[in-house]
Amino acid sequence: MGKLEQLDKSIRITLCKLERVFLPSFFDGMVHLEIHLANKAKLGGPVQFRWMYFIEIFLRTLKGYVRNKSVQEDQLLKAILYRSA
């Protein structure tokens, strides 16, 4: 059994034990997402290959160049060309 399968099994068992102790109001969506973490790691691989932080920072920088919101695509294209030159 691999580490991810073992982690998936232990998360499920731990959450079942916590459900016996805490009220149902403790378990929101974020607690439920822990069940899917191991499966997502198996499917997606290492986090750096699916992390969008650098692309979001780059797009925020390009959107800072936009002054006229009505022709946003044109100004983004000009910003990319200006930055690459």
Side-chain angles (χ1 to χ4, degrees), residues 23-73:
L23 295 173
S25 61
F26 174 76
F27 297 98
D28 59 352
M30 296 303 292
V31 175
H32 175 72
L33 287 177
E34 294 175 359
I35 294 174
H36 303 290
L37 286 177
N39 192 26
K40 187 171 179 110
K42 284 189 278 189
L43 292 175
V47 71
Q48 64 264 24
F49 297 126
R50 60 181 192 270
W51 199 30
M52 297 296 292
Y53 179 72
F54 298 111
I55 296 170
E56 290 171 358
I57 293 294
F58 178 67
L59 288 176
R60 183 183 60 171
T61 304
L62 290 179
K63 285 183 180 181
Y65 295 136
V66 174
R67 300 288 179 232
N68 187 357
K69 300 290 183 184
S70 64
V71 287
Q72 193 170 12
E73 293 85 10

